[in-house]
Amino acid sequence: MTHAQTQAESRFDRGQRALSRIDGSAGEKVIASLADIAPDFARYVIEFPFGDIYCRPGLGLRDREIATVAALTALGNAAPQLKVHIEAGLNVGLSRDEIVEIMMQMAVYAGFPAALNGLFAAKEVFAAHDAKAVPSS
Amino acid sequence: MTHAQTQAESRFDRGQRALSRIDGSAGEKVIASLADIAPDFARYVIEFPFGDIYCRPGLGLRDREIATVAALTALGNAAPQLKVHIEAGLNVGLSRDEIVEIMMQMAVYAGFPAALNGLFAAKEVFAAHDAKAVPSS
Amino acid sequence: MTHAQTQAESRFDRGQRALSRIDGSAGEKVIASLADIAPDFARYVIEFPFGDIYCRPGLGLRDREIATVAALTALGNAAPQLKVHIEAGLNVGLSRDEIVEIMMQMAVYAGFPAALNGLFAAKEVFAAHDAKAVPSS
Amino acid sequence: MTHAQTQAESRFDRGQRALSRIDGSAGEKVIASLADIAPDFARYVIEFPFGDIYCRPGLGLRDREIATVAALTALGNAAPQLKVHIEAGLNVGLSRDEIVEIMMQMAVYAGFPAALNGLFAAKEVFAAHDAKAVPSS
Amino acid sequence: MTHAQTQAESRFDRGQRALSRIDGSAGEKVIASLADIAPDFARYVIEFPFGDIYCRPGLGLRDREIATVAALTALGNAAPQLKVHIEAGLNVGLSRDEIVEIMMQMAVYAGFPAALNGLFAAKEVFAAHDAKAVPSS
Amino acid sequence: MTHAQTQAESRFDRGQRALSRIDGSAGEKVIASLADIAPDFARYVIEFPFGDIYCRPGLGLRDREIATVAALTALGNAAPQLKVHIEAGLNVGLSRDEIVEIMMQMAVYAGFPAALNGLFAAKEVFAAHDAKAVPSS
């Protein structure tokens, strides 16, 4: 393997490891769903947000997910991505209560409807989590 | 003083302490500027965001400012309030580099222009800080 | 009952009366749906928007709902809350035609898609109203 | 003059009368400022918002300005147009206090920063009004 | 038929021809769905966007749909209208790949979630197209 | 020079050539202004939007600038970046009249204030262009 391939792979690979670690299977589903419409965009999602940004050492993953959950709740126009990042928040160490606190705080900056819709998204994600956690026996 | 007054004051007073602690003189300027146009709104700003939300124990002030700086950068339509909260972030323990990381990350969720405008706001706030820190001798 | 309790209760109680009067059962459903995820936020919704803002004497409820329906239609990212407030508009004296006028006007300030989505939300709310009004015999 | 011209003129003329009545000299300045960049757009501004929408009988001008001031405050990205419509609100019968009430209410639906920026815009418009009202002697 | 009627009809008729040519049956469905809630707004949709704007000679229809698809993807709060205009883009000469390029580019200006939601809307529209194109034999 | 360096450089270099070609000196000023606050972000701006997206062969630069000018006008919260891209539009072959057409069309999708603010930004950029074009003799 040439050095060039190592380099090229490492940005993508680093991104894929970060995506797995942070978004888990929800992130992989997003990538898979791009395969037949915009495979290059799947690569960009892995390389730029995850390979470049989330891997930077200057801010921890828990802090980064606080920022993302807050921003997506405030913007209020990306419900599917918000759910992925509520999940991601849980994956990197935010508690359910902390996620709820972030959303309540967004009432101050983006209005009560944005906060309410964030809370209802969280409720859905938490319920799905609980459903998965129930033993099958 | 009656109990009722104590209660009534405590929500307002608790908010004022939080506002002072978090936003410092920038927050006090906002409150003062409301005196002749909407004094009741000055009271609401102190009571709800600061007396109710920021004082809740479930999330630390540093985490709360990550959320606020992220949201205001992403929304991109409240430059004066973003500057107040960049200042607030510094007040409650975020480093300049951490604030810059939050803004760069917002490129992913709200686009590069939102991130750029956040970074330029941070640059202004940091410069004003440095100017104040310079000894007059 | 102490004076303090009276004071504390009156803000919440005043809010609950206002919420009932304005949003009717739709508002109560929102509050109920918060019980298991963010009960404190249910209280804030009652206390701040309804106990503090809607109860202020400076603007009538019909005027307030014009403002809310216009804003939620223009923002375009809070469909469930818009429907609650179309209902609320009817409850406080706006006619269906007046609500339709507000939405058409939003085409000017937020674009035709925002106006269209507002009109379709109104259509849904009006149809649900008509369905409830049909006698069961 | 043919009937066709009458019809053609009446939509434009009706709009110009409405623009004058509602926005006053502020509206005329906007139209004038379009003359060298997009004169056709000046015509559309007169014909569609003012000739078509504001002239509709189903909602009074005071109600229409409540809707517009609320929407522009909530959107938060059109400060010059918000100022024109604060002025317009005064022209069609809203009191300063009512305009302030609308803006405070927007804290609920679009966040405190949007409400604050609306209040500061109102403060500026009211001050300009007072300056003009001072006798020159 | 008087001259006035000719004029009056020509703006509406020109708009209806443009709407048919650009949005096809999707546009007609939108108009039909307004009939019982806001028939005047159906007329405005035909007259202003289509009769006035899309018919202007200064920019071709393919260019106009690039602008519309980009704007609706970036705004991210008008999914039904975005789908109509993805369809419209195909009708006036944009290829599927070009539409996908526009959406990927929106990641830069409005964030990755806006781009993703645009791509998923395109995927749906393309799939519906393919389903219709399948011969029934 | 190793292959890896070639690869690494080519993404950055390709981006820098695209940035120069599209945004001209306005783009270089943005990059320079990031040097002391977020130099890594300057690199990302060059690499992702310009090195990855604008260089893709599937859509021409003129088409890409139609999309960007439309999106930034519609979003309405990034005036400095909109001006850079009005300039960019002129650089890659859009005429002033075509840029004006794009902005007028945005009235349909994002409201008249967004269109007006876009037109006033264009007026400023065009005037600056004319000022530069005046011979010094």
Side-chain angles (χ1 to χ4, degrees), chain E residues 53-67:
Chain E
I53 298 290
Y54 278 93
C55 287
R56 293 177 59 83
L59 196 70
L61 286 182
R62 185 181 163 282
D63 290 348
R64 288 194 183 278
E65 284 303 329
I66 293 173

Side-chain angles (χ1 to χ4, degrees), chain A residues 6-63:
Chain A
T6 320
Q7 284 291 90
E9 275 171 1
S10 83
R11 199 171 160 252
F12 183 84
D13 288 357
R14 194 173 60 217
Q16 210 154 30
R17 264 196 312 278
L19 179 72
S20 263
R21 163 89 182 83
I22 298 166
D23 284 0
S25 60
E28 276 151 30
K29 245 183 259 173
V30 171
I31 297 302
S33 69
L34 287 167
D36 58 350
I37 177 106
D40 287 358
F41 198 69
R43 183 164 54 79
Y44 293 145
V45 169
I46 291 168
E47 286 177 348
F48 178 62
F50 292 96
D52 283 345
I53 297 291
Y54 278 92
C55 286
R56 292 177 60 83
L59 197 69
L61 287 182
R62 185 181 163 281
D63 290 348

Side-chain angles (χ1 to χ4, degrees), chain C residues 11-84:
Chain C
R11 201 172 158 251
F12 183 84
D13 288 357
R14 194 173 61 218
Q16 209 154 31
R17 264 197 313 278
L19 179 72
S20 262
R21 162 87 182 84
I22 298 166
D23 284 0
S25 61
E28 277 152 29
K29 245 182 261 172
V30 171
I31 296 303
S33 69
L34 287 167
D36 58 350
I37 176 106
D40 287 357
F41 198 69
R43 184 164 54 81
Y44 293 146
V45 168
I46 291 168
E47 287 177 348
F48 178 62
F50 292 96
D52 283 345
I53 297 291
Y54 279 91
C55 286
R56 293 176 60 82
L59 196 70
L61 287 182
R62 185 182 164 281
D63 290 348
R64 289 194 183 278
E65 285 303 330
I66 293 173
T68 299
V69 168
L72 292 177
T73 302
L75 290 169
N77 60 2
Q81 289 78 24
L82 175 58
K83 283 179 204 163
V84 169

Side-chain angles (χ1 to χ4, degrees), chain A residues 64-114:
Chain A
R64 289 194 182 278
E65 285 303 330
I66 294 173
T68 299
V69 167
L72 292 177
T73 302
L75 291 169
N77 61 3
Q81 289 78 25
L82 175 57
K83 283 179 204 162
V84 169
H85 281 280
I86 291 168
E87 187 88 39
L90 298 174
N91 292 342
V92 299
L94 286 169
S95 70
R96 291 186 181 195
D97 282 355
E98 288 172 328
I99 289 170
V100 164
E101 287 294 329
I102 296 167
M103 268 137 187
M104 296 199 299
Q105 187 173 322
M106 288 305 105
V108 177
Y109 298 103
F112 279 72

